[in-house]
Amino acid sequence: MKTLLLPIRSGEADENHPAIARAAEIIQRGGLVAMPTETVYGLAANALDPAAVERVFAAKLRPSWDPLIVHIASREMLSLVASEVPQKIEHLSERFWPGPLTLLLRRSAKIPAIVTAGRPNVAVRMPAHPVAQSLIRAAGVPLAAPSANLFGRTSPTSAEHVLHDLDGRIDAVLDAGGTDVGVESTVLDALRDPPLLLRPGGVTREQLEAVLGLVEIYRPPYDQPPEALASPGLAARHYAPQAKLVLVDGNEAAFLEELRVRVQYARDTGEYIGAMTPEGWLTPELIEGGGLVLYDWGPWEQWEVLAQRLFAGLRYLDKPGVAVIVCPLPKPEGMGLALHDRLMKAAK
Ligand code: TXA
Ligand code: MG
């Protein structure tokens, strides 16, 4: 299959834009389109068409136990995909949608079982990206869309990342450049009391707690098959580069010490060490000796900036010859919690 590249500027996105019209037509006949959202690129299919959703699993090599998020663009679509909307969820959606928050709801009979991996709840979000919104409206159906990467790999924050993983496996990519948030949406089960944060992401725990009071963080139990978990995708090694990812304490001294030791060894073996480098953290003496591949990650503790650049950095460093990527671990506060989570899973 040839994958069609459909360039579009975010500011020009509306239902009549030729790229959107083309993409919508592909969706309507059961095809797959990668679309930008404000978090990461998603691989979209008509959520009401089980054969189309089946193709999403096949293209990504995603196991059938891992359910998909359904993307909507209006309140009407919410009542189509959910059988009921409790008031607490209504309230959350008013506060955070459109935006990077995914909420669990009771699945309606319209949503095929394959979308939710047979579970009674469906994960729903209303993306803020104008291209995603226009595509949903033009297609006229909710879109099931996981991140547009091969299963287990780093999520894509650009059309190039999507093509790297999925060129020839999907019908088209809407290319609107890099994404804003850079990590995936927060997944919240607010049907439970207290609400359970299944995946930290673009909406922070602190923002949720300001509305909900206490929010618990999900810790997947060990030794359980994915089918038995509250959110099956979250336990597996994930978001992972092919090089070995080594996490160090989030301070300059620990980072430099780890690099010094590793780079000496790498120089002897002719390999390279990749470094996710916070602004100003490298000494010239370390750079001059060779053996390092650097990615300028951004100002330490500015978690939003670091989140936007995380996956691009991991993909950039993950090239032939790079055996190990060294990365300082952010604090689990604000958006740092999502970074902490992704890096811990990638380093498993
Ligand atoms: O930002 C995002 O959420 C992106 C964009 C494209 O919207 N999507 C995304 O989808 O990251 P995906 O499939 O890569 O991650 C969805 C996560 C998975 O870990 C999955 O297990 C969980 O959400 N999930 C989906 N449906 C669920 C359900 N019904 N119950 C529990 N967890 C669910
Ligand atoms: Mg994913």
Side-chain angles (χ1 to χ4, degrees):
M1 166 192 309
K2 178 148 174 42
T3 301
L4 193 65
L5 186 65
L6 299 169
I8 182 166
R9 284 204 192 90
S10 294
E12 291 170 354
D14 69 51
E15 287 151 69
N16 302 317
H17 189 290
I20 296 287
R22 188 71 203 277
E25 182 190 288
I26 294 170
I27 296 282
Q28 284 161 351
R29 46 172 186 74
L32 307 184
V33 177
M35 63 172 179
T37 80
E38 74 278 29
T39 56
V40 301
Y41 275 69
L43 180 59
N46 178 355
L48 308 179
D49 175 354
V53 175
E54 174 77 52
R55 283 183 204 112
V56 171
F57 282 91
K60 278 185 57 111
L61 306 176
R62 182 179 178 110
S64 59
W65 46 254
D66 198 0
L68 307 184
I69 295 173
V70 173
H71 297 67
I72 59 172
S74 66
R75 297 272 146 194
E76 295 75 68
M77 277 192 185
L78 182 59
S79 25
L80 177 75
V81 304
S83 63
E84 57 178 315
V85 183
Q87 217 188 335
K88 188 166 38 159
I89 309 261
E90 188 70 55
H91 186 53
L92 280 168
S93 69
E94 274 161 22
R95 169 71 179 75
F96 294 105
W97 283 358
L101 178 64
T102 296
L103 295 165
L104 294 199
L105 285 153
R106 285 282 156 196
R107 161 165 77 96
S108 84
K110 294 260 169 34
I111 295 293
I114 183 175
V115 172
T116 67
R119 289 166 179 253
N121 293 337
V122 60
V124 185
R125 91 174 183 99
M126 191 186 286
H129 199 293
V131 171
Q133 288 184 355
S134 304
L135 179 61
I136 300 167
R137 286 207 194 90
V141 290
L143 299 179
S147 52
N149 50 279
L150 288 172
F151 183 71
R153 299 278 172 78
T154 310
S155 289
T157 55
S158 71
E160 292 74 39
H161 296 165
V162 174
L163 290 172
H164 180 269
D165 279 20
L166 298 176
D167 196 11
R169 304 178 67 84
I170 62 177
D171 296 287
V173 187
L174 280 163
D175 179 0
T179 59
D180 271 358
V181 178
V183 292
E184 302 84 349
S185 64
T186 300
V187 180
L188 183 73
D189 182 353
L191 299 171
R192 302 190 196 216
D193 197 18
L196 189 60
L197 184 65
L198 295 172
R199 178 178 70 182
V203 169
T204 64
R205 178 192 196 177
E206 292 83 348
Q207 287 175 301
L208 292 172
E209 288 192 329
V211 177
L212 291 168
L214 176 75
V215 170
E216 274 179 6
I217 296 187
Y218 180 56
R219 315 234 178 257
Y222 294 107
D223 319 326
Q224 293 279 337
E227 295 85 338
L229 302 178
S231 197
L234 307 182
R237 176 177 150 92
H238 236 86
Y239 315 108
Q242 278 155 309
K244 180 181 160 63
L245 181 63
V246 172
L247 302 177
V248 297
D249 283 353
N251 65 71
E252 188 176 356
F255 178 68
L256 291 178
E257 185 49 32
E258 186 72 32
L259 282 180
R260 258 187 213 110
V261 173
R262 296 222 171 238
V263 85
Q264 289 239 313
Y265 180 76
R267 283 172 193 154
D268 293 343
T269 58
E271 285 176 329
Y272 288 87
I273 301 299
M276 290 290 286
T277 314
E279 209 171 278
W281 277 23
L282 264 191
T283 56
E285 142 269 319
L286 200 54
I287 301 172
E288 277 154 21
L292 275 176
V293 184
L294 306 176
Y295 180 76
D296 290 323
W297 195 4
W300 191 243
E301 300 205 347
Q302 291 195 22
W303 309 130
E304 277 81 11
V305 179
L306 299 174
Q308 193 193 30
R309 297 171 59 75
L310 173 73
F311 291 143
L314 291 176
R315 280 185 181 257
Y316 171 79
L317 294 176
D318 196 19
K319 46 184 152 212
V322 175
V324 171
I325 297 173
V326 175
C327 182
L329 189 61
K331 287 193 200 113
E333 59 181 26
M335 280 284 277
L337 180 63
L339 290 164
H340 188 277
D341 169 82
R342 302 305 185 274
L343 286 165
M344 293 294 283
K345 283 183 185 120
K348 260 193 199 169

